[in-house]
PDB file of all heavy atoms in Angstrom:
ATOM      1  N   GLY J  20     134.112 125.754 120.512  1.00  0.00           N
ATOM      2  CA  GLY J  20     134.613 125.272 121.783  1.00  0.00           C
ATOM      3  C   GLY J  20     135.663 126.151 122.396  1.00  0.00           C
ATOM      4  O   GLY J  20     135.899 126.116 123.588  1.00  0.00           O
ATOM      5  N   ASP J  28     138.577 122.905 122.579  1.00  0.00           N
ATOM      6  CA  ASP J  28     138.636 123.148 121.143  1.00  0.00           C
ATOM      7  C   ASP J  28     138.950 121.862 120.416  1.00  0.00           C
ATOM      8  O   ASP J  28     139.129 120.820 121.010  1.00  0.00           O
ATOM      9  CB  ASP J  28     139.655 124.245 120.802  1.00  0.00           C
ATOM     10  CG  ASP J  28     141.070 123.892 121.232  1.00  0.00           C
ATOM     11  OD1 ASP J  28     141.390 122.683 121.320  1.00  0.00           O
ATOM     12  OD2 ASP J  28     141.867 124.810 121.466  1.00  0.00           O
ATOM     13  N   THR J  31     142.109 119.852 121.522  1.00  0.00           N
ATOM     14  CA  THR J  31     142.306 119.409 122.894  1.00  0.00           C
ATOM     15  C   THR J  31     141.118 118.668 123.461  1.00  0.00           C
ATOM     16  O   THR J  31     141.125 118.339 124.640  1.00  0.00           O
ATOM     17  CB  THR J  31     142.605 120.618 123.801  1.00  0.00           C
ATOM     18  OG1 THR J  31     141.492 121.518 123.750  1.00  0.00           O
ATOM     19  CG2 THR J  31     143.863 121.337 123.357  1.00  0.00           C
ATOM     20  N   ASP J  47     135.891 126.808 106.060  1.00  0.00           N
ATOM     21  CA  ASP J  47     135.271 127.900 106.808  1.00  0.00           C
ATOM     22  C   ASP J  47     134.450 128.765 105.864  1.00  0.00           C
ATOM     23  O   ASP J  47     134.817 128.964 104.701  1.00  0.00           O
ATOM     24  CB  ASP J  47     136.335 128.787 107.462  1.00  0.00           C
ATOM     25  CG  ASP J  47     137.219 128.013 108.414  1.00  0.00           C
ATOM     26  OD1 ASP J  47     136.683 127.235 109.205  1.00  0.00           O
ATOM     27  OD2 ASP J  47     138.458 128.192 108.347  1.00  0.00           O
ATOM     28  N   THR J  58     128.623 152.832 117.828  1.00  0.00           N
ATOM     29  CA  THR J  58     128.429 153.714 118.974  1.00  0.00           C
ATOM     30  C   THR J  58     129.698 154.534 119.119  1.00  0.00           C
ATOM     31  O   THR J  58     130.632 154.413 118.315  1.00  0.00           O
ATOM     32  CB  THR J  58     128.162 152.916 120.267  1.00  0.00           C
ATOM     33  OG1 THR J  58     129.368 152.236 120.654  1.00  0.00           O
ATOM     34  CG2 THR J  58     127.057 151.897 120.069  1.00  0.00           C
ATOM     35  N   ALA J  68     128.431 132.296 110.547  1.00  0.00           N
ATOM     36  CA  ALA J  68     129.710 131.609 110.352  1.00  0.00           C
ATOM     37  C   ALA J  68     129.549 130.116 110.576  1.00  0.00           C
ATOM     38  O   ALA J  68     128.849 129.680 111.492  1.00  0.00           O
ATOM     39  CB  ALA J  68     130.767 132.164 111.310  1.00  0.00           C
ATOM     40  N   VAL J  83     126.930 115.350 106.514  1.00  0.00           N
ATOM     41  CA  VAL J  83     127.492 116.519 107.199  1.00  0.00           C
ATOM     42  C   VAL J  83     126.595 117.738 106.999  1.00  0.00           C
ATOM     43  O   VAL J  83     126.302 118.486 107.937  1.00  0.00           O
ATOM     44  CB  VAL J  83     128.915 116.821 106.701  1.00  0.00           C
ATOM     45  CG1 VAL J  83     129.438 118.130 107.310  1.00  0.00           C
ATOM     46  CG2 VAL J  83     129.867 115.671 107.030  1.00  0.00           C
ATOM     47  N   VAL J 118     123.044 143.448 117.384  1.00  0.00           N
ATOM     48  CA  VAL J 118     123.786 142.554 116.503  1.00  0.00           C
ATOM     49  C   VAL J 118     123.329 141.118 116.716  1.00  0.00           C
ATOM     50  O   VAL J 118     123.154 140.664 117.850  1.00  0.00           O
ATOM     51  CB  VAL J 118     125.299 142.671 116.783  1.00  0.00           C
ATOM     52  CG1 VAL J 118     126.059 141.529 116.113  1.00  0.00           C
ATOM     53  CG2 VAL J 118     125.828 144.009 116.294  1.00  0.00           C
ATOM     54  N   VAL J 127     135.025 116.339 113.261  1.00  0.00           N
ATOM     55  CA  VAL J 127     135.065 114.887 113.428  1.00  0.00           C
ATOM     56  C   VAL J 127     135.401 114.576 114.883  1.00  0.00           C
ATOM     57  O   VAL J 127     136.456 114.955 115.381  1.00  0.00           O
ATOM     58  CB  VAL J 127     136.107 114.263 112.483  1.00  0.00           C
ATOM     59  CG1 VAL J 127     136.257 112.765 112.771  1.00  0.00           C
ATOM     60  CG2 VAL J 127     135.730 114.503 111.024  1.00  0.00           C
ATOM     61  N   SER J 131     136.286 105.548 112.389  1.00  0.00           N
ATOM     62  CA  SER J 131     136.844 104.206 112.315  1.00  0.00           C
ATOM     63  C   SER J 131     136.462 103.630 110.949  1.00  0.00           C
ATOM     64  O   SER J 131     135.791 104.300 110.163  1.00  0.00           O
ATOM     65  CB  SER J 131     136.294 103.336 113.458  1.00  0.00           C
ATOM     66  OG  SER J 131     134.949 102.955 113.203  1.00  0.00           O
ATOM     67  N   GLY J 150     122.562 134.762 124.551  1.00  0.00           N
ATOM     68  CA  GLY J 150     122.481 133.846 123.424  1.00  0.00           C
ATOM     69  C   GLY J 150     122.218 132.431 123.894  1.00  0.00           C
ATOM     70  O   GLY J 150     122.204 132.138 125.092  1.00  0.00           O
ATOM     71  N   PRO J 176     114.303  97.496 123.853  1.00  0.00           N
ATOM     72  CA  PRO J 176     113.950  96.678 125.024  1.00  0.00           C
ATOM     73  C   PRO J 176     114.946  96.782 126.178  1.00  0.00           C
ATOM     74  O   PRO J 176     114.602  96.451 127.321  1.00  0.00           O
ATOM     75  CB  PRO J 176     113.913  95.254 124.456  1.00  0.00           C
ATOM     76  CG  PRO J 176     113.626  95.434 123.004  1.00  0.00           C
ATOM     77  CD  PRO J 176     114.352  96.685 122.619  1.00  0.00           C
ATOM     78  N   VAL J 197     120.089 107.966 146.928  1.00  0.00           N
ATOM     79  CA  VAL J 197     119.414 107.006 146.069  1.00  0.00           C
ATOM     80  C   VAL J 197     117.934 107.325 145.916  1.00  0.00           C
ATOM     81  O   VAL J 197     117.365 107.185 144.820  1.00  0.00           O
ATOM     82  CB  VAL J 197     119.589 105.568 146.623  1.00  0.00           C
ATOM     83  CG1 VAL J 197     118.773 104.582 145.807  1.00  0.00           C
ATOM     84  CG2 VAL J 197     121.060 105.175 146.635  1.00  0.00           C
ATOM     85  N   PHE J 206     114.649 119.399 135.618  1.00  0.00           N
ATOM     86  CA  PHE J 206     113.480 119.541 134.746  1.00  0.00           C
ATOM     87  C   PHE J 206     112.993 118.209 134.184  1.00  0.00           C
ATOM     88  O   PHE J 206     112.295 118.176 133.184  1.00  0.00           O
ATOM     89  CB  PHE J 206     113.811 120.470 133.571  1.00  0.00           C
ATOM     90  CG  PHE J 206     114.235 121.848 133.969  1.00  0.00           C
ATOM     91  CD1 PHE J 206     115.021 122.607 133.128  1.00  0.00           C
ATOM     92  CD2 PHE J 206     113.844 122.399 135.176  1.00  0.00           C
ATOM     93  CE1 PHE J 206     115.416 123.887 133.478  1.00  0.00           C
ATOM     94  CE2 PHE J 206     114.228 123.680 135.546  1.00  0.00           C
ATOM     95  CZ  PHE J 206     115.018 124.431 134.692  1.00  0.00           C
ATOM     96  N   ASP J 216     118.763 111.754 123.964  1.00  0.00           N
ATOM     97  CA  ASP J 216     119.142 111.093 122.716  1.00  0.00           C
ATOM     98  C   ASP J 216     120.530 111.535 122.265  1.00  0.00           C
ATOM     99  O   ASP J 216     121.112 110.933 121.357  1.00  0.00           O
ATOM    100  CB  ASP J 216     118.127 111.425 121.613  1.00  0.00           C
ATOM    101  CG  ASP J 216     116.760 110.820 121.900  1.00  0.00           C
ATOM    102  OD1 ASP J 216     116.715 109.756 122.544  1.00  0.00           O
ATOM    103  OD2 ASP J 216     115.752 111.416 121.491  1.00  0.00           O
ATOM    104  N   TYR J 237     119.551 127.710 132.638  1.00  0.00           N
ATOM    105  CA  TYR J 237     120.623 128.184 131.758  1.00  0.00           C
ATOM    106  C   TYR J 237     121.929 128.398 132.516  1.00  0.00           C
ATOM    107  O   TYR J 237     123.001 128.036 132.030  1.00  0.00           O
ATOM    108  CB  TYR J 237     120.186 129.497 131.098  1.00  0.00           C
ATOM    109  CG  TYR J 237     121.209 130.099 130.158  1.00  0.00           C
ATOM    110  CD1 TYR J 237     121.201 129.797 128.803  1.00  0.00           C
ATOM    111  CD2 TYR J 237     122.180 130.991 130.631  1.00  0.00           C
ATOM    112  CE1 TYR J 237     122.132 130.349 127.942  1.00  0.00           C
ATOM    113  CE2 TYR J 237     123.115 131.543 129.779  1.00  0.00           C
ATOM    114  CZ  TYR J 237     123.088 131.231 128.424  1.00  0.00           C
ATOM    115  OH  TYR J 237     124.020 131.778 127.580  1.00  0.00           O
ATOM    116  N   LEU J 244     127.360 113.195 131.274  1.00  0.00           N
ATOM    117  CA  LEU J 244     127.203 111.973 132.062  1.00  0.00           C
ATOM    118  C   LEU J 244     127.881 110.830 131.319  1.00  0.00           C
ATOM    119  O   LEU J 244     127.476 110.483 130.210  1.00  0.00           O
ATOM    120  CB  LEU J 244     125.722 111.664 132.270  1.00  0.00           C
ATOM    121  CG  LEU J 244     125.381 110.344 132.971  1.00  0.00           C
ATOM    122  CD1 LEU J 244     125.926 110.344 134.398  1.00  0.00           C
ATOM    123  CD2 LEU J 244     123.879 110.109 132.971  1.00  0.00           C
ATOM    124  N   GLU J 250     129.807  98.636 132.466  1.00  0.00           N
ATOM    125  CA  GLU J 250     128.506  98.598 133.118  1.00  0.00           C
ATOM    126  C   GLU J 250     127.369  98.250 132.156  1.00  0.00           C
ATOM    127  O   GLU J 250     126.299  97.809 132.581  1.00  0.00           O
ATOM    128  CB  GLU J 250     128.207  99.948 133.771  1.00  0.00           C
ATOM    129  CG  GLU J 250     129.091 100.295 134.939  1.00  0.00           C
ATOM    130  CD  GLU J 250     128.607  99.658 136.234  1.00  0.00           C
ATOM    131  OE1 GLU J 250     127.666  98.838 136.192  1.00  0.00           O
ATOM    132  OE2 GLU J 250     129.171  99.988 137.292  1.00  0.00           O
TER     133      GLU J 250
END
Side-chain angles (χ1 to χ4, degrees):
D28 61 27
T31 60
D47 301 315
T58 70
V83 174
V118 167
V127 174
S131 75
V197 174
F206 301 155
D216 293 330
Y237 180 92
L244 175 63
E250 293 277 7

